[in-house]
Amino acid sequence: MIKYLQEEKIDENLIKQLEEYRKNHGLANNDRVIKPEYKYYGKEVLEQAIAALLAGKNILLTGAKATGKNVLSSNLSYLFQRPTYNVSFHVNTDSASLIGADTFKNGEVVFRKGPITEAAENGGFAILDEINMAKNEAISVLHATLDHRRIIDLSGYDKIALDPNTRFIATMNYGYVGTRELNEALSSRFMIINVPNITSDNLDKLLADNFPTLKEKYRKAFIDLFISLQTKSENNEISTKSVDLRGLIGAIETIKIGLSPYQALMMGLVNKSFDEFERQIVLDTLKSKIPTDITESVFDE
């Protein structure tokens, strides 16, 4: 992963400090230190995130769909070699699901620790996915955890001080059903990074890295298709439903199994839109970029 940072031309001083951190605080053999399936490509964003985490700050990743916020989060946890605790927020998220609650075990009341408490005690990186899905009053319990106090104060229990290595990485999308504005008190506790749309060059690196035998002409065609859909979404011609990077990668994996590129991309991108007018725009874009009658293998043998 350090070689990957060097290839992305990340500032050498940041890489040196990260290596020093890993040497002193890394837990390479911990079963929660998980190597990410995909690498995140984006020099500026990586530098901002690494610098903030080295400084002991929490970060909030904002941006549109398919910008790689979750991929970046898992990459950062692995780069710092710290255990990862994933928390998916939803409208019914409450303090008990974050911090923990009393429960019965072996006939007695015990405290069942939540993921935030586990991360706090073990010096983990807590990834707070879609943090603006939860009600503000539910996550206000995190204020003392996220600011300079760095504590969890449980009623009826001892106060828990955060391990010095504990970090919080939150992600959020605007415009999804159920999302809301993040209140100022919470957002002020994060360093905020706006994650831009993936560029064609970075998408090329991602696909070449994960599908090394994919023929170049087809890799370029898939990139052209995705960037075209991304541009149409930016211009409000279509929604973000079909601008689905997971869908593109899933389609290519399905092509590798043996399905035709056209059918795979129908499943991975076109059929993600349920509005017939929008679906037709996406379908027309697909037909203009990918032939419907490809007979040769799109992968090198």
Side-chain angles (χ1 to χ4, degrees):
M1 292 294 281
I2 295 297
K3 182 182 177 183
Y4 139 73
L5 293 180
Q6 292 170 337
E7 291 172 349
E8 282 294 286
K9 297 181 172 56
I10 301 301
D11 182 84
E12 290 182 5
N13 183 48
L14 283 178
I15 295 177
K16 183 179 178 180
Q17 291 185 67
L18 178 61
E19 287 183 305
E20 187 67 21
Y21 179 93
R22 285 157 59 102
K23 179 182 176 181
N24 295 325
H25 306 290
L27 300 174
N29 296 321
N30 189 292
D31 60 3
R32 279 188 174 270
V33 179
I34 303 169
K35 185 176 182 179
E37 187 175 0
Y38 308 110
K39 295 185 180 75
Y40 178 85
Y41 293 98
K43 177 180 183 294
E44 184 177 333
V45 169
L46 277 169
E47 287 184 339
Q48 291 175 350
I50 291 170
L53 293 171
L54 284 170
K57 304 302 179 184
N58 305 310
I59 59 176
L60 171 62
L61 307 176
T62 69
K65 177 185 174 184
T67 53
K69 296 183 291 297
N70 294 105
V71 171
L72 174 59
S73 300
S74 59
N75 271 256
L76 291 169
S77 295
Y78 188 70
L79 282 169
F80 280 78
Q81 291 190 338
R82 297 304 304 176
T84 302
Y85 296 85
N86 291 285
V87 184
S88 295
F89 283 80
H90 50 82
V91 293
N92 294 318
T93 297
D94 58 16
S95 60
S97 61
L98 299 174
I99 304 299
D102 289 332
T103 187
F104 279 103
K105 185 177 182 179
N106 298 326
E108 61 180 2
V109 177
V110 296
F111 182 71
R112 176 188 53 80
K113 297 175 183 178
I116 301 299
T117 304
E118 293 273 7
E121 292 182 335
N122 299 320
F125 276 35
I127 298 175
L128 314 178
D129 193 25
E130 302 292 359
I131 193 171
N132 60 331
M133 286 287 285
K135 297 173 183 176
N136 288 323
E137 55 268 26
I139 50 181
S140 62
V141 69
L142 298 180
H143 286 179
T145 309
L146 295 168
D147 65 19
H148 65 280
R149 290 170 286 181
R150 291 179 64 81
I151 60 170
I152 298 175
D153 204 351
L154 300 171
S155 178
Y157 291 89
D158 291 335
K159 183 170 58 179
I160 299 172
L162 269 63
D163 183 282
N165 294 296
T166 303
R167 303 286 190 277
F168 295 91
I169 304 174
T171 72
M172 62 180 284
N173 288 313
Y174 281 112
Y176 277 17
V177 174
T179 61
R180 52 182 52 81
E181 286 288 333
L182 212 61
N183 70 31
E184 191 174 342
L186 188 61
S187 61
S188 70
R189 287 164 164 79
F190 290 98
M191 299 291 281
I192 299 178
I193 300 173
N194 184 38
V195 183
N197 285 329
I198 192 167
T199 65
S200 56
D201 287 342
N202 286 335
L203 183 54
D204 190 42
K205 291 178 187 176
L206 177 65
L207 296 186
D209 184 43
N210 288 279
F211 303 101
T213 60
L214 180 63
K215 291 179 180 178
E216 183 179 3
K217 69 174 182 178
Y218 289 110
R219 188 174 76 245
K220 298 295 185 185
F222 296 153
I223 292 169
D224 188 22
L225 169 63
F226 186 84
I227 297 299
S228 295
L229 293 176
Q230 186 172 266
T231 301
K232 289 181 184 297
S233 177
E234 290 171 352
N235 294 334
N236 295 318
E237 296 176 47
I238 61 173
S239 70
T240 59
K241 291 178 181 177
S242 292
V243 188
D244 191 337
L245 191 52
R246 294 187 190 95
L248 176 64
I249 292 172
I252 297 173
E253 290 171 341
T254 309
I255 294 168
K256 198 170 183 179
I257 295 297
L259 196 65
S260 75
Y262 183 79
Q263 289 177 303
L265 290 164
M266 283 288 293
M267 290 195 301
L269 298 177
V270 178
N271 292 343
K272 295 292 177 71
S273 176
F274 299 104
D275 178 84
E276 189 56 39
F277 178 75
E278 179 180 300
R279 185 177 179 279
Q280 191 59 51
I281 294 175
V282 179
L283 181 58
D284 290 343
T285 307
L286 170 61
K287 289 179 177 179
S288 71
K289 306 294 183 183
I290 308 295
T292 60
D293 56 351
I294 296 174
T295 56
E296 66 170 332
S297 173
V298 304
F299 288 89
D300 291 321
E301 300 297 332

